[in-house]
Structure formats: structure tokens, C-alpha cells
Amino acid sequence: MSLVPMKDLLLKAEKEGYGVGAFSVADMEMILGAVKAAEELQLPMILQIAQVRLPYSPLDKIAPMMAAAARNASVPVAVHFDHGLDIEMIQKALDLGFTSVMIDASKLPIDENIRITKEVRKIVDRYGASVEAEVGQLGVSEDGSGDASKIHSDPKEVKLLYEETGVDAIALSIGNQHGFYKAAPVLNFDILDEANDLVPVPLVLHGGSGISDPDFRKCISRGITKINVATATFCAVKDAAAEYLKNEKTDYFSMSDAMMHGAYENIKRHMQVFSMK
Ligand code: 13P
């Protein structure tokens, strides 16, 4: 169908009461597995890559692959630059055809976060793309770096950032965390409800790997529209390769197919939950 701005997917999902999965990819196997799942379920999806992953998957190589997969898919797909840390890389992602970017200035005081997000908004508008910002801190980054202490979002700051910047989506910290959880996550639904009452914009849940299906559904029914999943897919692909390599005879292409299948199964499972059917 097409490569679309993220905003279009999220507004439709918000209206119709389902969640859109934003799946992190690092190579062609994951891209193929993700699109196969979305096409089979006939559901929209977001393909994304975080700036911290670029040492492994250079942007100028993976971006054209992600954009081509989206353009050729039989369902709407947005291509999103996750956790953009500086304006230069965000600009590069937009030049390479990303239809959405996240500016992650959440570690900075809210005034600074707003100032940088406003700057990004101006650039993104020239491309007709969408912007996600974050309020509060998840602590650990997607690649495991950073300080583990989280700072829950302050709904008043969520409102302020929205009013000042007009972003298309806002990521919250409500007890969610990147990477697998050491103990079952306890999400603070009061913060989610309060933020959802204060802003009309779709809300984003990062750290999807390890959140229970009932909690996913509860989040979607209370304002979360975009849900990020990374670690669970990376592990599913690694485990699929390890399982395949237990065979007596192996070859590269069958292993690649097993890896694609690992991504597909994990992503399909999450998409089914997010569809709220
Ligand atoms: P997980 O790795 O915990 O699934 O988090 C993904 C994420 O939020 C990417 O931004």
C-alpha cells in the first residue's frame, strides 16, 4: 500500500481503539519478518531503528531497505527514527525517507526538552513527517546503557510540552523500561489516565518486551496508541538462529530464513494483542 506518515496511522488507530506496534529492526531478516506479519494480519505497522543501533546497522544502508519494504507492503507502514539524539542525525533520517522521527531530549529539564523539540518540529514539518517526543525518563536506553533510575512522567509537563510544540505523539514513563524486566513491571495507570485527559495526542509506550498482554490491552484502552518492541524481537531472532544451528547439516540461507521466521512470529504475536480483537 504505502509508506505513510506515522501520524496518519496513529490517529486512525486512536479513533478505532487499537494499538500500532512499532518494531525495531536491525537487518533484512527482521524487516522481511515484520512486513510478512503485518501483511498476513492486514494491519498497519511502524518499522523503526534507534540511533544507538546505528553502529551495527548504518543508517544509509538500512534506511533504503526499510523505506522500500514499506513502499512495497500491502498495508500502510511508517518508517520511524527512534530515540533521535541530535538534530544532525534526525535530518539525515528525514533525507533518507523516514516518515517519522523521535527527538529524545527527555534527560534535559522540561524547558530545554521543549526548546529542542520545537526546533525538530520545524525541520520535520518541511518533510511532512511526524514527531514523537518524550516526557519523563525510562532510565536505561534500548542498548542497555544509561542510568537504571527512572523518572515517571509528570502529566502537567506532558501538557506543557504538547501545547508548546504540537508534537504528534508523546512517550511516557509510567514504570515501563527498555530491555527485559528483572521483575514484572508495575505500570502506573493513574499517570497514564491523567496525561490522556490533558492532551489530545496519541501516547507512546516504550519498553514493550515483557509487558503482559492484559497490561498492553489496558494501556491501549487508556490512551496508548504506539507500542515499541525491540528486545523481544532481537532475542527471538537470535534464538531462532541458535535452534537452527542445532541441525546436523546447516547452510546460510536456511539460517537466514529461520531468523526471518523468528522475527515474524514474535511480531505477529504482539500485533495480534495490539489489534484488541
Ligand atoms: P524493548 O527493547 O524493551 O522492547 O523497548 C523497545 C523500545 O522502547 C524502543 O524504543
Side-chain angles (χ1 to χ4, degrees):
M1 183 176 299
S2 56
L3 173 59
V4 297
M6 183 173 77
K7 181 181 176 184
D8 299 5
L9 297 188
L10 296 187
L11 291 180
K12 185 167 188 294
E14 192 178 42
K15 215 162 89 193
E16 296 178 15
Y18 61 88
V20 181
F23 297 99
S24 301
V25 292
D27 58 27
M28 193 170 72
E29 284 79 5
M30 291 185 207
I31 295 172
L32 293 176
V35 172
K36 180 176 157 70
E39 287 188 326
E40 213 169 284
L41 296 171
Q42 281 297 295
L43 288 170
M45 76 161 13
I46 299 163
L47 285 178
Q48 66 182 14
I49 186 160
Q51 186 165 337
V52 288
R53 300 296 186 190
L54 300 184
Y56 303 92
S57 313
L59 193 61
D60 59 339
K61 316 286 187 303
I62 199 155
M65 238 194 309
M66 292 167 76
R71 247 182 257 112
N72 295 322
S74 66
V75 289
V77 180
V79 174
H80 177 71
F81 189 55
D82 192 27
H83 291 286
L85 300 170
D86 57 80
I87 291 188
E88 198 186 328
M89 287 310 291
I90 285 176
Q91 175 91 53
K92 199 167 167 195
L94 292 164
D95 285 336
L96 286 164
F98 278 57
T99 56
S100 172
V101 299
M102 176 186 187
I103 170 67
D104 183 356
S106 59
K107 286 190 180 66
L108 300 171
I110 190 68
D111 292 350
E112 237 343 63
N113 187 348
I114 288 171
R115 187 188 64 73
I116 295 172
T117 304
K118 261 183 182 168
E119 243 180 88
V120 170
R121 167 95 261 180
K122 261 193 234 151
I123 297 167
V124 169
D125 281 347
R126 296 206 292 266
Y127 292 80
S130 314
V131 194
E132 173 184 335
E134 179 170 328
V135 175
Q137 285 179 42
L138 261 57
V140 175
S141 160
E142 189 190 292
D143 66 353
S145 62
D147 177 357
S149 54
K150 2 180 221 296
I151 300 173
H152 285 178
S153 307
D154 175 349
K156 286 182 208 72
E157 289 190 354
V158 173
K159 182 173 189 276
L160 186 66
L161 180 127
Y162 173 70
E163 287 173 351
E164 292 285 325
T165 65
V167 287
D168 302 300
I170 301 177
L172 300 182
S173 171
I174 56 169
N176 47 321
Q177 184 111 46
H178 289 124
F180 282 131
Y181 293 86
K182 292 190 178 68
V186 180
L187 301 182
N188 186 324
F189 290 98
D190 291 340
I191 296 177
L192 174 56
D193 287 343
E194 215 184 310
N196 193 34
D197 282 348
L198 290 173
V199 293
V201 75
L203 300 172
V204 182
L205 186 73
H206 283 243
S209 300
I211 289 185
S212 70
D213 294 355
D215 272 0
F216 277 138
R217 293 199 186 92
K218 206 165 156 184
C219 283
I220 294 166
S221 67
R222 296 159 94 140
I224 294 288
T225 310
K226 172 178 181 268
I227 301 166
N228 287 11
V229 177
T231 307
T233 310
F234 301 147
C235 281
V237 173
K238 173 186 70 71
D239 290 349
E243 194 55 37
Y244 172 74
L245 290 171
K246 286 183 186 160
N247 288 318
E248 221 165 276
K249 277 190 173 170
T250 56
D251 67 89
Y252 173 77
F253 294 101
S254 305
M255 184 184 71
S256 165
D257 195 52
M259 289 163 69
M260 184 279 287
H261 225 81
Y264 155 78
E265 278 175 359
N266 176 66
I267 291 171
K268 185 174 172 189
R269 191 194 83 66
H270 282 93
M271 289 186 83
Q272 278 166 328
V273 175
F274 303 163
S275 74
M276 300 292 269
K277 283 187 186 137

